[in-house]
Amino acid sequence: AGMRGMLFVVILLGVSLTVIGMISNQLIGFEGRKRECAVLVSTAMERGEVAKMFVFESMISSGIALFISLPVAFLAFLPFKRLMSLFTGNFLVHYDVKAYVLFLLLLWLIFTLVSLFPIRSLRKMNVAIQLKYE
């Protein structure tokens, strides 16, 4: 039970750090693309359409990352299982596919919702100031 609790804490810390990194990466990326977004808003798209573009971009990139991470995680788990068997003697593994799928969908939702941070910055952005130097 103690080992299981530790693994859940490690998973929670890993997901938390990933979400914090994604939020800062999205905000930094938006700062770099502010002028491009201002040009899009002023010429071809509404702010809502650019916001949808951010959401779809986040959905696709996080979906691809999660899709690739599943087989990589299973491959990385094999040496981990052997190592834990050396330390504890007997390390039982239970595969719960429904829990994995639910966890992946939850992560996909969280990683997609990270796009709300640059969308908030997009709504506050002054297009005229961004286009001043274009």
Side-chain angles (χ1 to χ4, degrees):
M3 186 67 84
R4 178 178 260 180
M6 268 186 15
L7 288 175
F8 283 132
V9 168
V10 168
I11 290 171
L12 184 65
L13 285 173
V15 170
S16 301
L17 289 174
T18 303
V19 168
I20 290 169
M22 287 181 68
I23 290 170
S24 65
N25 195 13
Q26 287 280 339
L27 289 174
I28 291 169
F30 178 72
E31 287 298 319
R33 298 188 301 178
K34 247 184 185 177
R35 288 188 184 157
E36 297 168 15
C37 292
V39 170
L40 284 174
V41 168
S42 69
T43 58
M45 300 174 85
E46 298 289 326
R47 287 182 197 253
E49 292 173 324
V50 176
K52 285 180 190 175
M53 185 176 66
F54 284 153
V55 170
F56 287 135
E57 176 187 38
S58 184
M59 284 176 69
I60 290 169
S61 63
S62 63
I64 289 171
L66 289 171
F67 182 74
I68 290 172
S69 71
L70 188 62
V72 170
F74 280 119
L75 288 174
F77 188 70
L78 294 174
F80 177 74
K81 180 182 171 186
R82 288 188 198 126
L83 183 66
M84 293 307 291
S85 294
L86 288 173
F87 287 136
T88 62
N90 189 9
F91 188 69
L92 297 175
V93 178
H94 300 284
Y95 293 105
D96 188 6
V97 177
K98 286 192 288 188
Y100 295 151
V101 170
L102 182 66
F103 186 64
L104 282 177
L105 290 175
L106 180 68
L107 285 178
W108 191 42
L109 177 69
I110 291 170
F111 293 160
T112 301
L113 290 177
V114 165
S115 66
L116 295 177
F117 289 93
I119 290 172
R120 186 179 61 190
S121 297
L122 173 70
R123 297 212 188 280
K124 293 179 182 178
M125 179 181 69
N126 188 341
V127 175
I129 290 176
Q130 293 302 317
L131 292 176
K132 184 163 65 171
Y133 298 109
E134 284 294 318

